[in-house]
Amino acid sequence: MTPHKLLDQFHLKSQIVGGERVLPEKEVAVLFGVTPAQLRKAVQRERKRFPDDFLLEQEGQYFFTTTGVLMVSSILRNKLAAQISV
């Protein structure tokens, strides 16, 4: 998947939460071929890379902005994430 295709998927599946266009963590996990638990663990490990304009947390669930989804590609350790972050 290319960054452009990833962003296309973001725009197709995103929703408005807290006035921001975001993608729920479950959808982000599917895009990157990981489980939501794996995604959460990676984000928690690298939380400093996700300021408030990259990631919203509401009712215990993560919601990623466009920039946040792109940042996910730099913290996950799998082939798909590597392809996107290049």
Side-chain angles (χ1 to χ4, degrees), residues 8-65:
D8 287 344
Q9 289 299 308
F10 176 88
H11 290 295
L12 286 172
K13 298 179 179 186
S14 61
Q15 59 193 40
I16 303 294
V17 173
E20 296 280 342
R21 183 161 292 283
V22 295
L23 197 59
E25 66 184 72
K26 291 178 184 176
E27 292 291 336
V28 174
V30 168
L31 286 177
F32 284 97
V34 297
T35 67
Q38 289 170 316
L39 175 62
R40 261 186 176 277
K41 186 175 180 178
V43 170
Q44 289 168 350
R45 184 179 63 238
E46 299 285 346
R47 187 64 173 97
K48 63 189 173 294
R49 292 181 159 203
F50 292 91
D52 293 342
D53 58 336
F54 285 23
L55 176 72
L56 305 174
E57 190 170 356
Q58 231 176 33
E59 298 176 16
Q61 184 176 359
Y62 290 155
F63 293 89
F64 295 85
T65 63

